[in-house]
Amino acid sequence: MKYSILGLIFQFITIVAFAQDLPEKISESDFTIGKSIKIESKILNETRDLNIYLPIGYAADSLKTYPVIYLLDGSKDEDFIHISGIVQFGSFSWINMLPESIVVGIGNVDRKRDFTYPSQNELDQKEFPTSGKSQTFIDFIEKELQPFIDATYNTTTTKTIIGQSLGGLLVTEILFKNPQLFDNYIIVSPSLWWDDEKLLDLEPVPYTSPKTIYIAGGKEGEVMERTAKELFNKLKKSKTQNTKLFYDFLEDKTHGDALHNAVYNAFEKIHQPIKQ
């Protein structure tokens, strides 16, 4: 008992002595990397959350303008923070991988509804009962979201979209049906198995403006790996002279962790000069 009391006294003295060596905290404030806003969508008939990353030094009254990167699965607890980190790092002057850019993270309400077109597959319909409303979501992007961002922030006309998994399916659908909506398409681990892979049978709408299309995936099983490569090969056949097209197989990544590396690689490729 005597030794226990002495031990407690010694620990108390040690804690007090250690505390006396700690520096004094002068101030404390919250640390943020952007803005979270809500908009009311008439097309979707619901409120949508947007997370916005603005470059360091962004000023509303400045004449400087910035390209915009639209990120699906852009909630705070999804991909917004780590993708914004890549954008900030890549735009540092000593890195110079991509220009300073605005990131618009689109928070989810029902991604199975928003990212899929109607499937004729009965299992798809059973497992995804709310699915099939991608065209409504594409209308929201074109007619409400993009005009809102351009009216609210200092933007250029250059637009990039990033989607992974079902988000990759949606980005592919936009590229095939509404290619004018974006200049750069980053498609990671696309769920092209949807609707018995019928999107791959669709003939893409022709376009004349410059595009960069980056497709990537990891070790994700035969169907995921095959369909991603088939998408690349399909686009390669119809590739125009002003299109940059890339495919990456990330053999040390899986469906869960391919996005971060893929986006970094995509930014490097998107902004490199076209090889003649």
Side-chain angles (χ1 to χ4, degrees):
M1 184 67 178
K2 177 181 178 182
Y3 291 108
S4 298
I5 294 173
L6 289 174
L8 289 172
I9 293 173
F10 178 76
Q11 289 180 13
F12 177 76
I13 294 172
T14 302
I15 292 171
V16 171
F18 178 75
Q20 290 175 342
D21 290 335
L22 292 177
E24 179 186 358
K25 181 167 67 176
I26 303 301
S27 65
E28 180 177 323
S29 61
D30 291 335
F31 179 81
T32 62
I33 66 166
K35 301 177 181 295
S36 291
I37 61 178
K38 293 181 182 292
I39 61 173
E40 193 65 31
S41 169
K42 294 180 180 178
I43 292 174
L44 298 174
N45 192 31
E46 64 190 8
T47 302
R48 298 301 297 236
D49 292 329
L50 303 177
N51 295 306
I52 313 293
Y53 164 79
L54 299 173
I56 297 173
Y58 177 92
D61 58 355
S62 171
L63 295 178
K64 185 174 182 179
T65 55
Y66 302 85
V68 183
I69 299 168
Y70 290 84
L71 174 65
L72 303 178
D73 295 318
S75 298
K76 295 177 184 176
D77 59 351
E78 294 175 313
D79 298 316
F80 176 72
I81 293 175
H82 75 98
I83 296 301
S84 295
I86 296 175
V87 173
Q88 183 199 49
F89 173 79
S91 62
F92 285 149
S93 60
W94 57 92
I95 303 297
N96 199 27
M97 183 170 67
L98 74 161
E100 289 186 307
S101 303
I102 297 169
V103 180
V104 177
I106 309 170
N108 281 322
V109 171
D110 182 352
R111 69 194 300 275
K112 295 176 182 178
R113 175 198 69 187
D114 293 336
F115 296 172
T116 59
Y117 62 89
S119 174
Q120 303 306 310
N121 182 290
E122 292 184 1
L123 184 60
D124 289 348
Q125 296 172 6
K126 181 180 179 180
E127 294 187 345
F128 297 73
T130 63
S131 64
K133 301 297 191 295
S134 62
Q135 186 56 57
T136 303
F137 192 72
I138 294 170
D139 289 343
F140 159 70
I141 290 174
E142 178 181 14
K143 299 174 183 178
E144 291 185 327
L145 180 58
Q146 287 185 344
F148 172 81
I149 295 299
D150 288 338
T152 306
Y153 300 101
N154 301 334
T155 65
T156 69
T157 59
T158 302
K159 298 176 174 65
T160 299
I161 186 167
I162 301 172
Q164 188 259 352
S165 194
L166 286 178
L169 176 72
L170 179 71
V171 174
T172 304
E173 184 182 357
I174 293 173
L175 174 63
F176 278 21
K177 298 178 180 179
N178 302 77
Q180 78 285 354
L181 290 187
F182 296 95
D183 305 283
N184 305 312
Y185 288 80
I186 301 177
I187 304 169
V188 183
S189 304
S191 297
L192 296 168
W193 49 264
W194 179 257
D195 190 30
D196 298 315
E197 306 175 16
K198 287 189 177 64
L199 188 59
L200 288 171
D201 296 331
L202 192 67
E203 197 61 36
V205 171
Y207 57 84
T208 56
S209 59
K211 304 286 180 203
T212 300
I213 305 164
Y214 173 89
I215 303 163
K219 295 277 283 187
E220 305 177 56
E222 188 274 331
V223 174
M224 292 290 291
E225 294 171 24
R226 172 179 53 79
T227 52
K229 192 62 182 291
E230 286 180 5
L231 173 62
F232 171 75
N233 289 332
K234 181 182 183 69
L235 294 171
K236 190 175 182 180
K237 290 179 181 178
S238 59
K239 178 176 175 292
T240 61
Q241 191 173 7
N242 61 350
T243 298
K244 295 193 290 183
L245 177 64
F246 304 96
Y247 171 78
D248 268 348
F249 177 59
L250 308 173
E251 59 181 347
D252 62 336
K253 300 299 175 185
T254 65
H255 192 75
D257 63 357
L259 181 66
H260 192 86
N261 284 44
V263 170
Y264 189 98
N265 294 346
F267 286 153
E268 284 189 316
K269 291 178 168 61
I270 286 172
H271 300 284
Q272 72 182 16
I274 298 177
K275 295 182 180 179
Q276 300 297 328

